[in-house]
Amino acid sequence: THLVSMYSVAGVATRAAPAIDAELFRRYISFARRWVFPQIGDAAAEALVKGYTDLRNQGTNRETITATPRVLETLIRISESVAKMELREEVTEADVAEAIRLLKAATYAAAIDPETGLIDMEQLIVGMGHSRRKRAKEIESMLQEILAERLSSGDAFTTIDGVKQVMNERFGERKEQLATDAEFMSALRTCEQQGICRRQGKTIEAR
């Protein structure tokens, strides 16, 4: 592999010389850090606003987070860094385009909702996209509804299997996807944390 070849005798012998001397490269970076401070011109500023707006508009609805002000700050810093690498005093539209490309490649690929194919920053932050969050809320609401009915009937105790069966019957009547064991147990844990019910073994007490 490439990593092994870096340390083997044959690999060292055939290693290509760097295009730039290491000492020159260090001096180049030091110079850029000390003396180069690119400014954002009007064209670059417009490109930043447009790029940020385009990212925000890639969600399916208003509840889907696709870009935050921090993302805009990141685009600004990357654009300035791209210009600084070339020792330029002004950030160009091309620098902004490169910043957007790098951001998408490094961050947004992990923020794609696998069910919609669209950007959702919550997918990156909490590991769950908008469609899955909506689905979880639907199951939680259904569970709360069933538990409330049990409580109002005067029989607060029921079984986990019984509640799940009622839930999936209702989802079936609506021609919606049935709740999986994982989805149901996640909703049950949420209801327990909210004090809506208490679980004892395979029994649920509505409260």
Side-chain angles (χ1 to χ4, degrees):
T1 65
H2 173 68
L3 184 60
V4 173
S5 68
M6 291 176 63
Y7 298 95
S8 67
V9 175
V12 171
T14 59
R15 185 183 303 169
I20 301 177
D21 178 73
E23 179 60 25
L24 175 61
F25 187 59
R26 283 192 291 269
R27 291 172 60 189
Y28 184 96
I29 293 174
S30 178
F31 179 88
R33 286 178 173 173
R34 183 174 182 181
W35 299 107
V36 183
F37 300 97
Q39 301 297 310
I40 298 176
D42 293 340
E46 290 180 8
L48 282 166
V49 172
K50 182 180 184 305
Y52 175 67
T53 302
D54 289 344
L55 291 175
R56 286 189 63 87
N57 290 337
Q58 289 192 33
T60 54
N61 54 52
R62 292 181 180 179
E63 296 181 10
T64 303
I65 301 173
T66 54
T68 65
R70 183 169 293 183
V71 168
L72 178 57
E73 293 175 1
T74 300
L75 288 175
I76 292 172
R77 289 197 298 271
I78 297 175
S79 299
E80 292 173 340
S81 297
V82 173
K84 178 175 286 195
M85 285 194 304
E86 298 184 2
L87 306 183
R88 287 186 280 102
E89 296 181 353
E90 184 173 344
V91 176
T92 66
E93 294 177 79
D95 297 330
V96 175
E98 177 64 5
I100 293 173
R101 186 193 71 79
L102 289 171
L103 181 69
K104 287 182 176 180
T107 304
Y108 275 56
I112 297 294
D113 187 328
E115 296 188 23
T116 65
L118 298 174
I119 292 173
D120 184 354
M121 288 304 289
E122 286 294 303
Q123 175 73 25
L124 181 63
I125 297 169
V126 301
M128 182 184 295
H130 172 71
S131 58
R132 288 182 58 195
R133 294 197 306 276
K134 181 180 178 182
R135 168 69 173 172
K137 286 293 184 183
E138 290 174 349
I139 294 175
E140 289 170 19
S141 296
M142 177 75 77
L143 179 55
Q144 291 175 15
E145 178 184 311
I146 296 171
L147 292 173
E149 291 173 359
R150 297 290 305 186
L151 191 60
S152 63
S153 69
D155 185 6
F157 291 89
T158 184
T159 64
I160 291 177
D161 290 340
V163 173
K164 184 182 176 186
Q165 180 179 348
V166 172
M167 176 182 290
N168 279 334
E169 285 175 355
R170 295 185 183 183
F171 277 132
E173 291 171 358
R174 298 179 184 180
K175 300 187 184 305
E176 296 181 10
Q177 180 182 345
L178 303 185
T180 64
D181 290 339
E183 289 174 331
F184 177 80
M185 295 307 295
S186 177
L188 182 57
R189 284 192 295 270
T190 299
C191 287
E192 284 186 283
Q193 292 169 358
Q194 295 174 352
I196 296 173
C197 67
R198 184 178 66 172
R199 178 173 40 166
Q200 296 178 315
K202 295 186 178 181
T203 302
I204 302 175
E205 178 188 1
R207 292 184 164 185

PDB file of all heavy atoms in Angstrom, residues 84-103:
ATOM      1  N   LYS A  84      -5.647  33.965   0.406  1.00  0.00           N
ATOM      2  CA  LYS A  84      -4.364  34.113   1.104  1.00  0.00           C
ATOM      3  C   LYS A  84      -3.334  33.129   0.569  1.00  0.00           C
ATOM      4  O   LYS A  84      -2.135  33.447   0.474  1.00  0.00           O
ATOM      5  CB  LYS A  84      -4.564  33.927   2.601  1.00  0.00           C
ATOM      6  CG  LYS A  84      -3.287  34.015   3.412  1.00  0.00           C
ATOM      7  CD  LYS A  84      -3.562  33.951   4.912  1.00  0.00           C
ATOM      8  CE  LYS A  84      -4.164  35.248   5.417  1.00  0.00           C
ATOM      9  NZ  LYS A  84      -4.118  35.343   6.901  1.00  0.00           N
ATOM     10  N   MET A  85      -3.759  31.923   0.226  1.00  0.00           N
ATOM     11  CA  MET A  85      -2.821  30.924  -0.311  1.00  0.00           C
ATOM     12  C   MET A  85      -2.138  31.413  -1.573  1.00  0.00           C
ATOM     13  O   MET A  85      -1.014  31.030  -1.873  1.00  0.00           O
ATOM     14  CB  MET A  85      -3.555  29.614  -0.598  1.00  0.00           C
ATOM     15  CG  MET A  85      -3.894  28.801   0.623  1.00  0.00           C
ATOM     16  SD  MET A  85      -4.393  27.117   0.215  1.00  0.00           S
ATOM     17  CE  MET A  85      -5.764  27.390  -0.906  1.00  0.00           C
ATOM     18  N   GLU A  86      -2.840  32.270  -2.333  1.00  0.00           N
ATOM     19  CA  GLU A  86      -2.274  32.788  -3.582  1.00  0.00           C
ATOM     20  C   GLU A  86      -1.726  34.196  -3.404  1.00  0.00           C
ATOM     21  O   GLU A  86      -1.451  34.896  -4.384  1.00  0.00           O
ATOM     22  CB  GLU A  86      -3.339  32.752  -4.679  1.00  0.00           C
ATOM     23  CG  GLU A  86      -3.821  31.341  -4.988  1.00  0.00           C
ATOM     24  CD  GLU A  86      -4.807  31.287  -6.135  1.00  0.00           C
ATOM     25  OE1 GLU A  86      -5.092  32.351  -6.732  1.00  0.00           O
ATOM     26  OE2 GLU A  86      -5.292  30.177  -6.450  1.00  0.00           O
ATOM     27  N   LEU A  87      -1.599  34.618  -2.129  1.00  0.00           N
ATOM     28  CA  LEU A  87      -1.021  35.932  -1.792  1.00  0.00           C
ATOM     29  C   LEU A  87      -1.769  37.074  -2.457  1.00  0.00           C
ATOM     30  O   LEU A  87      -1.171  38.069  -2.886  1.00  0.00           O
ATOM     31  CB  LEU A  87       0.469  35.982  -2.168  1.00  0.00           C
ATOM     32  CG  LEU A  87       1.359  34.869  -1.599  1.00  0.00           C
ATOM     33  CD1 LEU A  87       2.810  35.095  -2.008  1.00  0.00           C
ATOM     34  CD2 LEU A  87       1.240  34.791  -0.088  1.00  0.00           C
ATOM     35  N   ARG A  88      -3.084  36.954  -2.540  1.00  0.00           N
ATOM     36  CA  ARG A  88      -3.891  38.004  -3.149  1.00  0.00           C
ATOM     37  C   ARG A  88      -4.529  38.885  -2.077  1.00  0.00           C
ATOM     38  O   ARG A  88      -4.859  38.417  -0.996  1.00  0.00           O
ATOM     39  CB  ARG A  88      -4.973  37.400  -4.054  1.00  0.00           C
ATOM     40  CG  ARG A  88      -4.392  36.855  -5.348  1.00  0.00           C
ATOM     41  CD  ARG A  88      -5.443  36.384  -6.323  1.00  0.00           C
ATOM     42  NE  ARG A  88      -5.950  35.036  -5.992  1.00  0.00           N
ATOM     43  CZ  ARG A  88      -7.093  34.783  -5.397  1.00  0.00           C
ATOM     44  NH1 ARG A  88      -7.897  35.779  -5.025  1.00  0.00           N
ATOM     45  NH2 ARG A  88      -7.466  33.545  -5.142  1.00  0.00           N
ATOM     46  N   GLU A  89      -4.756  40.143  -2.431  1.00  0.00           N
ATOM     47  CA  GLU A  89      -5.285  41.103  -1.464  1.00  0.00           C
ATOM     48  C   GLU A  89      -6.803  41.169  -1.464  1.00  0.00           C
ATOM     49  O   GLU A  89      -7.390  41.806  -0.601  1.00  0.00           O
ATOM     50  CB  GLU A  89      -4.718  42.501  -1.750  1.00  0.00           C
ATOM     51  CG  GLU A  89      -3.207  42.595  -1.577  1.00  0.00           C
ATOM     52  CD  GLU A  89      -2.681  43.989  -1.833  1.00  0.00           C
ATOM     53  OE1 GLU A  89      -3.481  44.846  -2.277  1.00  0.00           O
ATOM     54  OE2 GLU A  89      -1.493  44.233  -1.584  1.00  0.00           O
ATOM     55  N   GLU A  90      -7.428  40.532  -2.458  1.00  0.00           N
ATOM     56  CA  GLU A  90      -8.893  40.600  -2.546  1.00  0.00           C
ATOM     57  C   GLU A  90      -9.469  39.218  -2.820  1.00  0.00           C
ATOM     58  O   GLU A  90      -8.940  38.451  -3.627  1.00  0.00           O
ATOM     59  CB  GLU A  90      -9.322  41.570  -3.645  1.00  0.00           C
ATOM     60  CG  GLU A  90     -10.833  41.753  -3.723  1.00  0.00           C
ATOM     61  CD  GLU A  90     -11.241  42.846  -4.696  1.00  0.00           C
ATOM     62  OE1 GLU A  90     -10.375  43.658  -5.085  1.00  0.00           O
ATOM     63  OE2 GLU A  90     -12.428  42.891  -5.068  1.00  0.00           O
ATOM     64  N   VAL A  91     -10.565  38.910  -2.129  1.00  0.00           N
ATOM     65  CA  VAL A  91     -11.280  37.647  -2.334  1.00  0.00           C
ATOM     66  C   VAL A  91     -12.122  37.756  -3.601  1.00  0.00           C
ATOM     67  O   VAL A  91     -12.824  38.760  -3.803  1.00  0.00           O
ATOM     68  CB  VAL A  91     -12.191  37.345  -1.125  1.00  0.00           C
ATOM     69  CG1 VAL A  91     -13.015  36.083  -1.381  1.00  0.00           C
ATOM     70  CG2 VAL A  91     -11.359  37.192   0.139  1.00  0.00           C
ATOM     71  N   THR A  92     -12.070  36.756  -4.446  1.00  0.00           N
ATOM     72  CA  THR A  92     -12.817  36.767  -5.697  1.00  0.00           C
ATOM     73  C   THR A  92     -14.018  35.817  -5.633  1.00  0.00           C
ATOM     74  O   THR A  92     -14.154  35.025  -4.710  1.00  0.00           O
ATOM     75  CB  THR A  92     -11.914  36.340  -6.871  1.00  0.00           C
ATOM     76  OG1 THR A  92     -11.552  34.954  -6.681  1.00  0.00           O
ATOM     77  CG2 THR A  92     -10.655  37.188  -6.923  1.00  0.00           C
ATOM     78  N   GLU A  93     -14.846  35.909  -6.651  1.00  0.00           N
ATOM     79  CA  GLU A  93     -15.990  35.003  -6.746  1.00  0.00           C
ATOM     80  C   GLU A  93     -15.525  33.553  -6.868  1.00  0.00           C
ATOM     81  O   GLU A  93     -16.181  32.637  -6.363  1.00  0.00           O
ATOM     82  CB  GLU A  93     -16.857  35.381  -7.951  1.00  0.00           C
ATOM     83  CG  GLU A  93     -17.536  36.733  -7.825  1.00  0.00           C
ATOM     84  CD  GLU A  93     -18.322  37.093  -9.065  1.00  0.00           C
ATOM     85  OE1 GLU A  93     -19.441  36.573  -9.232  1.00  0.00           O
ATOM     86  OE2 GLU A  93     -17.807  37.889  -9.873  1.00  0.00           O
ATOM     87  N   ALA A  94     -14.391  33.347  -7.534  1.00  0.00           N
ATOM     88  CA  ALA A  94     -13.847  31.997  -7.679  1.00  0.00           C
ATOM     89  C   ALA A  94     -13.442  31.439  -6.319  1.00  0.00           C
ATOM     90  O   ALA A  94     -13.601  30.241  -6.059  1.00  0.00           O
ATOM     91  CB  ALA A  94     -12.648  32.015  -8.624  1.00  0.00           C
ATOM     92  N   ASP A  95     -12.931  32.298  -5.449  1.00  0.00           N
ATOM     93  CA  ASP A  95     -12.572  31.854  -4.093  1.00  0.00           C
ATOM     94  C   ASP A  95     -13.807  31.410  -3.332  1.00  0.00           C
ATOM     95  O   ASP A  95     -13.780  30.417  -2.609  1.00  0.00           O
ATOM     96  CB  ASP A  95     -11.880  32.996  -3.323  1.00  0.00           C
ATOM     97  CG  ASP A  95     -10.571  33.424  -3.967  1.00  0.00           C
ATOM     98  OD1 ASP A  95      -9.925  32.573  -4.593  1.00  0.00           O
ATOM     99  OD2 ASP A  95     -10.215  34.604  -3.834  1.00  0.00           O
ATOM    100  N   VAL A  96     -14.883  32.153  -3.492  1.00  0.00           N
ATOM    101  CA  VAL A  96     -16.140  31.805  -2.828  1.00  0.00           C
ATOM    102  C   VAL A  96     -16.670  30.475  -3.351  1.00  0.00           C
ATOM    103  O   VAL A  96     -17.119  29.616  -2.585  1.00  0.00           O
ATOM    104  CB  VAL A  96     -17.197  32.910  -3.034  1.00  0.00           C
ATOM    105  CG1 VAL A  96     -18.546  32.487  -2.451  1.00  0.00           C
ATOM    106  CG2 VAL A  96     -16.733  34.216  -2.398  1.00  0.00           C
ATOM    107  N   ALA A  97     -16.594  30.287  -4.678  1.00  0.00           N
ATOM    108  CA  ALA A  97     -17.059  29.031  -5.277  1.00  0.00           C
ATOM    109  C   ALA A  97     -16.256  27.853  -4.736  1.00  0.00           C
ATOM    110  O   ALA A  97     -16.805  26.777  -4.451  1.00  0.00           O
ATOM    111  CB  ALA A  97     -16.940  29.102  -6.800  1.00  0.00           C
ATOM    112  N   GLU A  98     -14.945  28.037  -4.577  1.00  0.00           N
ATOM    113  CA  GLU A  98     -14.101  26.978  -4.037  1.00  0.00           C
ATOM    114  C   GLU A  98     -14.446  26.711  -2.570  1.00  0.00           C
ATOM    115  O   GLU A  98     -14.452  25.556  -2.121  1.00  0.00           O
ATOM    116  CB  GLU A  98     -12.630  27.356  -4.171  1.00  0.00           C
ATOM    117  CG  GLU A  98     -11.647  26.363  -3.585  1.00  0.00           C
ATOM    118  CD  GLU A  98     -11.674  25.007  -4.276  1.00  0.00           C
ATOM    119  OE1 GLU A  98     -12.392  24.841  -5.297  1.00  0.00           O
ATOM    120  OE2 GLU A  98     -10.972  24.091  -3.799  1.00  0.00           O
ATOM    121  N   ALA A  99     -14.746  27.773  -1.821  1.00  0.00           N
ATOM    122  CA  ALA A  99     -15.132  27.616  -0.411  1.00  0.00           C
ATOM    123  C   ALA A  99     -16.417  26.795  -0.289  1.00  0.00           C
ATOM    124  O   ALA A  99     -16.527  25.909   0.572  1.00  0.00           O
ATOM    125  CB  ALA A  99     -15.315  28.984   0.244  1.00  0.00           C
ATOM    126  N   ILE A 100     -17.383  27.072  -1.154  1.00  0.00           N
ATOM    127  CA  ILE A 100     -18.643  26.334  -1.132  1.00  0.00           C
ATOM    128  C   ILE A 100     -18.405  24.871  -1.499  1.00  0.00           C
ATOM    129  O   ILE A 100     -18.960  23.958  -0.878  1.00  0.00           O
ATOM    130  CB  ILE A 100     -19.655  26.982  -2.100  1.00  0.00           C
ATOM    131  CG1 ILE A 100     -20.051  28.374  -1.588  1.00  0.00           C
ATOM    132  CG2 ILE A 100     -20.896  26.103  -2.256  1.00  0.00           C
ATOM    133  CD1 ILE A 100     -20.901  29.164  -2.559  1.00  0.00           C
ATOM    134  N   ARG A 101     -17.557  24.642  -2.487  1.00  0.00           N
ATOM    135  CA  ARG A 101     -17.243  23.264  -2.890  1.00  0.00           C
ATOM    136  C   ARG A 101     -16.588  22.487  -1.745  1.00  0.00           C
ATOM    137  O   ARG A 101     -16.953  21.345  -1.459  1.00  0.00           O
ATOM    138  CB  ARG A 101     -16.316  23.266  -4.110  1.00  0.00           C
ATOM    139  CG  ARG A 101     -16.058  21.875  -4.682  1.00  0.00           C
ATOM    140  CD  ARG A 101     -14.910  21.883  -5.680  1.00  0.00           C
ATOM    141  NE  ARG A 101     -13.627  22.085  -5.026  1.00  0.00           N
ATOM    142  CZ  ARG A 101     -12.958  21.121  -4.389  1.00  0.00           C
ATOM    143  NH1 ARG A 101     -13.454  19.886  -4.309  1.00  0.00           N
ATOM    144  NH2 ARG A 101     -11.797  21.382  -3.830  1.00  0.00           N
ATOM    145  N   LEU A 102     -15.632  23.128  -1.080  1.00  0.00           N
ATOM    146  CA  LEU A 102     -14.934  22.473   0.025  1.00  0.00           C
ATOM    147  C   LEU A 102     -15.883  22.190   1.192  1.00  0.00           C
ATOM    148  O   LEU A 102     -15.818  21.128   1.816  1.00  0.00           O
ATOM    149  CB  LEU A 102     -13.772  23.355   0.498  1.00  0.00           C
ATOM    150  CG  LEU A 102     -12.580  23.466  -0.454  1.00  0.00           C
ATOM    151  CD1 LEU A 102     -11.610  24.535   0.027  1.00  0.00           C
ATOM    152  CD2 LEU A 102     -11.874  22.123  -0.582  1.00  0.00           C
ATOM    153  N   LEU A 103     -16.764  23.141   1.475  1.00  0.00           N
ATOM    154  CA  LEU A 103     -17.725  22.949   2.576  1.00  0.00           C
ATOM    155  C   LEU A 103     -18.642  21.773   2.290  1.00  0.00           C
ATOM    156  O   LEU A 103     -18.886  20.935   3.166  1.00  0.00           O
ATOM    157  CB  LEU A 103     -18.546  24.219   2.783  1.00  0.00           C
ATOM    158  CG  LEU A 103     -19.576  24.159   3.909  1.00  0.00           C
ATOM    159  CD1 LEU A 103     -18.879  24.115   5.260  1.00  0.00           C
ATOM    160  CD2 LEU A 103     -20.517  25.355   3.852  1.00  0.00           C
TER     161      LEU A 103
END
